[in-house]
Amino acid sequence: MRFLIAAAILAFTLAAQTFPRAAEMDAAIAQAIREDRIPGAVVLIGHQGRIVYQKAYGSRALIPVKEPMTMDTIFDVASLTKIVATTSGIMNLVAEGKVAIDAPVTRYLPSFQGGKSEITIRDLMTHYSGLRPDLDLDPEWSGYETGIRRALIDRPSSPLRAKFVYSDINFELLGEIIHKVSGQPENEFVRAILLEPLGMKETIYLPAAALRFRIAPTEMQKDGTVLRGVVHDPTARFMGGVAGHAGLFSTAADLAKFCQMILDGGKDPAGKQLFPAATVAEFTSVQSPPGKSARRGLGWDIDSQYSGNRGNLFPAGSTFGHTGFTGTSFWIDPATKTYVILLANSVHPKPGPAITPLRRLVATLAAEAVGYKPKTSTGLDVLAARKFDLLQGKRVGLITNLSGLDGQRRRNVDLMRQAGINVVALFSPEHGFAGVEDRPGIDDTRDPATGIRVFSLFGKTLRPTPEMLTGIETLVFDIQDLGVRFYTYESTMLYAMQEAAKAKIPFMVLDRPNPLTGEHVEGPMLDANNLSFIGAFPLPLRHGLTMGELARMENAELKLGANLTVVEMQGWKRGDWFDQTQLGWVNPSPNIRNLSAALLYPGLALLEASTNYSVGRGTASPFEQVGAEFIKGRELADYLSARNIPGVTMQPTHFRPDSSNLSGKTLEGISFQVTDRDTFVASRLGMEVALALNKLYSGKIDFAKNLKLIGSLEAVREMEKGGDPIRSSETGLTAFQSLRDKYLIYRR
């Protein structure tokens, strides 16, 4: 036994010594200890399925006697409870079909807000419910039921979905929903569905007295006692130590098991699926209302004022984590299969300064150590590495928006100016320069950071005018597209290239990935006589081209004669989905908020011109649900489920848009979840929805009104007569594939 212990210590010591940023990690933690920010800490980093760094620093306790920190120290993880316990519990119930994310809380807790609240499960999990941060604690009260009773009647402090308010009350209610739906107290339910299957034996509520010596103490109370083995959060203490927002204790090793399960798509170490991979993906992607600065998953933090533990390198939007008030945190990056756990008791013996800088530094060092960099270098990355040699000495006009970032999330215009490039004008497409406008008629403006004028190409004109192009010597296009025919950034590029050709101004495309891969091509084709701003070139619904490839095709086939340069990407393969590029997700437009929505968009947007029909704009899940006043959710879901559409599931839902079609109306409908993106065909889903609406609610949808979206008059006529638009959507695809092959830049 002594030999095994000695071997383990030696192996750990060697691992710490060979970790590329070990010295910097040691210095960062040591400085935080010297500054009395923390008494000590445990750091554990996992990468590619194995632990690559783990080390205990400083002291576990300072009073009444000093104790050294150890790797097996048990911490009060505070709000990590919200993720490990409560989010996992809800995830299980959603996967089992027992809880619906967009269902009102009153479905499960009928007395909530007197039974009249519109707050949904999603609102609680994303912290957009409007409920206050905490329950009142003065005068003191006690008991779990008392706490829940108070949470059920606590009135919102702000309008529903108006702003992000981090609220413990949200998760106290979620914990009670787990209790009511499962029939078990949350701690027992979570132990059965998560802790025992993963072997998280030291993750517990209400730790036994025998474990007290290994538990990191927290805050000294007014009477001089120190909390140790008793939850620090006062509301959780009042509720008896078990609550949805706090109360869990755990170790770094146990939390590593949890993080690895998330990275493995819900599988335990033996490969058993504890949660469906699609459910894990849904919960860890952006699910908060569109246009809000704080982006949250379901439970998880993604990009908010609390995201300091993401560090400076892990991308915002595609990575996720959480923090705990006592000094605990973890962050997970699916692209590099990395997680970073930092456990400290920063409230011992009394709360000190915020440890956000330490959290940020630890995550940044971890990212550097595992060699973090995007697998794909965009055209911007490639040209920046060459110090923008092709633009030196030129007066440059730049067509871009918020998506024009490099792999380190730096803006293209800033990088160009730092390299000495004279950027004289900016141009913005639909949704504006900031990418958040969801209206027509966007005016010209100025970039606040540089003062450069921004000409709107979605306002008085859709094309750059000769006056706008005056003095420009090279026009550069750098925008993340979606790879869908009616996504208007493609039309903006074509129109700009046409005007540049007329003015004899060189046109440059900084290429970016097609987020839906460069392999999937789906009809229907756009009829040549149906061209418009939402389809300016005859393409199929999904064309499988990058913007650089599309520019080459349009320049040649339309004989524009543009002096075109495509700065090619490096490291991108045609079969790569966006999340395989390791680039950070940026919403390309306000209502495409994650890759799942992007994948459903080409199918569900086919009928969007119908004003009596909603595709979820103005809700937290645009293009992941559809609804109308005439739809019966269960009826439509049952009909479509019986059609056995590959790669997608659906369930009845109801929602209330606060903008766009049917704003302010409560609608029945269905929500969609892609379960296998490689077999899923968006156009098949869109056509099946059209056929179902025609059969079940004949005459309610004006299919002809959607002709420019659908693209094909033949397909529209098949929809109108209840025929087979799916077969007609294949017309012309073979010829397009042959044409497309001439312009491909990237091969398998």
Side-chain angles (χ1 to χ4, degrees):
M1 178 61 73
R2 289 180 179 176
F3 171 78
L4 292 175
I5 294 173
I9 293 172
L10 176 61
F12 160 70
T13 303
L14 291 174
Q17 289 175 347
T18 57
F19 188 71
R21 293 293 183 269
E24 293 95 326
M25 193 76 75
D26 289 348
I29 304 291
Q31 182 176 352
I33 293 172
R34 283 197 305 272
E35 294 173 351
D36 290 329
R37 292 178 181 270
I38 55 173
V42 170
V43 176
L44 190 152
I45 300 168
H47 178 61
Q48 299 291 339
R50 64 189 186 93
I51 294 172
V52 296
Y53 186 82
Q54 54 181 331
K55 189 170 182 179
Y57 295 88
S59 301
R60 176 161 61 206
L62 296 178
I63 58 174
V65 294
K66 198 170 186 178
E67 301 173 25
M69 186 69 76
T70 60
M71 282 302 303
D72 64 352
T73 295
I74 300 170
F75 289 83
D76 175 346
V77 299
S79 284
L80 296 192
T81 304
K82 293 181 172 74
I83 298 298
V84 178
T86 308
T87 296
S88 294
I90 295 293
M91 202 159 52
N92 172 276
L93 296 174
V94 168
E96 294 289 329
K98 297 175 181 177
V99 166
I101 289 299
D102 290 305
V105 174
T106 53
R107 180 181 297 181
Y108 311 102
L109 302 175
S111 63
F112 176 60
Q113 306 275 307
K116 298 179 181 179
S117 175
E118 294 183 0
I119 295 172
T120 66
I121 303 297
R122 179 189 301 276
D123 298 324
L124 297 183
M125 299 199 77
T126 57
H127 296 286
Y128 278 90
S129 68
L131 291 173
R132 298 186 306 150
D134 301 292
L135 295 174
D136 293 328
L137 299 177
D138 188 16
E140 289 191 9
W141 49 269
S142 64
Y144 177 85
E145 294 296 337
T146 302
I148 295 301
R149 201 160 48 244
R150 287 171 170 255
L152 288 169
I153 62 173
D154 205 81
R155 307 307 299 177
S157 60
S158 61
L160 177 61
R161 304 183 193 109
K163 62 180 180 178
F164 169 70
V165 179
Y166 183 80
S167 170
D168 285 349
I169 299 173
N170 289 332
F171 273 75
E172 289 152 11
L173 291 167
L174 289 166
E176 177 63 4
I177 289 170
I178 292 171
H179 178 202
K180 292 298 186 185
V181 175
S182 72
Q184 297 176 272
E186 179 179 0
N187 57 330
E188 294 180 12
F189 182 69
V190 171
R191 185 175 68 245
I193 60 111
L194 177 77
L195 305 182
E196 289 181 353
L198 278 184
M200 296 173 66
K201 297 180 180 179
E202 295 190 313
T203 302
I204 45 178
Y205 288 90
L206 306 171
L211 295 173
R212 188 174 183 273
F213 77 100
R214 276 205 289 128
I215 296 175
T218 54
E219 192 173 354
M220 179 186 292
Q221 302 299 286
K222 293 179 180 179
D223 62 3
T225 61
V226 174
L227 295 176
R228 190 164 195 172
V230 177
V231 62
H232 175 265
D233 180 85
T235 306
R237 279 206 310 279
F238 284 16
M239 293 177 71
V242 177
H245 71 291
L248 203 65
F249 289 74
S250 190
T251 63
D254 267 13
L255 293 176
K257 295 175 183 177
F258 174 79
C259 293
Q260 190 61 53
M261 180 272 294
I262 295 294
L263 284 175
D264 290 340
K267 293 181 180 177
D268 70 11
K272 180 181 177 182
Q273 204 77 49
L274 298 185
F275 305 97
T279 303
V280 174
E282 177 186 12
F283 273 62
T284 55
S285 63
V286 177
Q287 300 289 343
S288 43
K292 303 298 183 183
S293 59
R295 295 188 291 170
R296 304 284 297 198
L298 297 175
W300 295 87
D301 185 17
I302 292 176
D303 187 19
S304 76
Q305 61 263 47
Y306 298 104
S307 303
N309 56 319
R310 183 180 68 238
N312 296 331
L313 293 179
F314 290 130
S318 60
T319 63
F320 45 87
H322 214 277
T323 60
F325 182 79
T326 52
T328 58
S329 63
F330 48 46
W331 200 263
I332 300 176
D333 176 24
T336 59
K337 301 291 185 184
T338 302
Y339 57 84
V340 182
I341 298 169
L342 171 64
L343 301 180
N345 49 339
S346 59
V347 295
H348 177 71
K350 61 182 180 179
I355 65 168
T356 303
L358 176 63
R359 286 169 166 158
R360 180 178 290 112
L361 182 54
V362 167
T364 301
L365 291 172
E368 291 175 347
V370 301
Y372 177 81
K373 63 179 180 178
K375 173 191 150 197
T376 298
S377 297
T378 66
L380 173 62
D381 291 305
V382 170
L383 195 59
R386 291 162 39 183
K387 302 187 184 306
F388 296 95
D389 56 344
L390 300 179
L391 299 177
Q392 291 293 340
K394 307 290 185 184
R395 291 168 58 85
V396 173
L398 176 60
I399 306 170
T400 192
N401 64 1
L402 79 167
S403 68
L405 304 178
D406 74 345
Q408 297 182 48
R409 305 183 71 77
R410 298 173 297 185
R411 297 196 313 165
N412 46 22
V413 61
D414 297 330
L415 292 171
M416 289 178 183
R417 284 162 55 86
Q418 289 165 13
I421 304 303
N422 186 14
V423 181
V424 297
L426 296 167
F427 300 82
S428 64
E430 184 178 1
H431 306 299
F433 187 63
V436 297
E437 301 286 352
D438 200 19
R439 59 182 177 85
I442 298 174
D443 296 328
D444 295 348
T445 184
R446 288 190 181 274
D447 172 27
T450 64
I452 300 173
R453 185 171 182 180
V454 181
F455 294 104
S456 172
L457 300 181
F458 194 70
K460 295 177 181 178
T461 179
L462 300 177
R463 298 169 175 268
T465 64
E467 292 75 21
M468 293 176 183
L469 295 176
T470 299
I472 291 175
E473 296 173 315
T474 302
L475 190 57
V476 179
F477 184 94
D478 184 27
I479 293 176
Q480 177 61 60
D481 183 53
L482 213 59
V484 179
R485 182 227 303 143
F486 44 64
Y487 209 57
T488 62
Y489 299 163
E490 297 177 6
S491 300
T492 296
M493 182 182 72
L494 174 57
Y495 290 178
M497 187 164 53
Q498 288 173 328
E499 299 308 312
K502 291 177 187 177
K504 301 190 182 312
I505 297 172
F507 192 81
M508 180 181 294
V509 176
L510 306 186
D511 215 1
R512 290 182 175 271
N514 184 322
L516 306 181
T517 82
E519 292 185 336
H520 292 260
V521 176
E522 303 174 13
M525 290 289 298
L526 175 64
D527 296 337
N529 59 350
N530 283 327
L531 299 182
S532 70
F533 185 60
I534 57 171
F537 185 79
L539 292 169
L541 185 62
R542 279 176 67 183
H543 49 68
L545 295 165
T546 69
M547 290 295 261
E549 293 170 334
L550 179 59
R552 291 179 64 194
M553 175 185 285
E554 291 172 336
N555 191 35
E557 295 299 316
L558 296 176
K559 298 180 172 54
L560 300 182
N563 181 359
L564 173 66
T565 300
V566 176
V567 181
E568 300 175 10
M569 295 179 284
Q570 294 178 357
W572 187 73
K573 297 180 180 179
R574 298 213 72 81
D576 286 348
W577 295 88
F578 189 85
D579 56 10
Q580 294 171 317
T581 66
Q582 299 180 12
L583 294 165
W585 178 268
V586 176
N587 295 348
S589 59
N591 291 294
I592 305 296
R593 307 180 58 220
N594 52 58
L595 187 54
S596 176
L599 185 53
L600 288 161
Y601 170 75
L604 298 186
L606 285 175
L607 303 179
E608 191 179 4
S610 302
T611 56
N612 63 338
Y613 179 72
S614 171
V615 293
R617 287 184 187 267
T619 75
S621 302
F623 299 110
E624 295 182 89
Q625 56 187 353
V626 299
E629 290 182 286
F630 58 82
I631 287 175
K632 297 178 181 177
R634 171 56 66 187
E635 178 182 55
L636 182 57
D638 288 347
Y639 180 87
L640 286 171
S641 295
R643 296 289 295 169
N644 296 317
I645 306 168
V648 64
T649 60
M650 59 284 297
Q651 65 176 5
T653 189
H654 68 271
F655 56 89
R656 183 180 176 132
D658 55 24
S659 62
S660 193
N661 290 357
L662 304 173
S663 175
K665 298 182 181 296
T666 299
L667 310 175
E668 282 195 51
I670 50 176
S671 61
F672 300 91
Q673 185 177 80
V674 176
T675 55
D676 186 344
R677 63 190 182 184
D678 292 311
T679 62
F680 173 69
V681 179
S683 60
R684 164 80 187 273
L685 176 63
M687 298 295 182
E688 291 280 8
V689 169
L691 288 172
L693 294 174
N694 188 59
K695 181 177 179 62
L696 299 175
Y697 317 108
S698 180
K700 294 295 186 181
I701 295 291
D702 183 352
F703 295 108
K705 191 174 184 178
N706 294 277
L707 174 59
K708 292 194 182 301
L709 288 168
I710 298 166
S712 163
L713 181 58
E714 180 185 2
V716 169
R717 286 173 174 167
E718 288 292 324
M719 291 177 186
E720 290 174 333
K721 69 181 184 181
D724 188 1
I726 298 170
R727 182 166 19 178
S728 70
S729 71
E730 298 174 358
T731 303
L733 283 187
T734 301
F736 174 78
Q737 291 272 32
S738 298
L739 175 68
R740 170 179 174 271
D741 194 59
K742 294 164 51 178
Y743 301 104
L744 299 185
I745 298 172
Y746 314 94
R747 302 290 169 172
R748 288 180 178 272

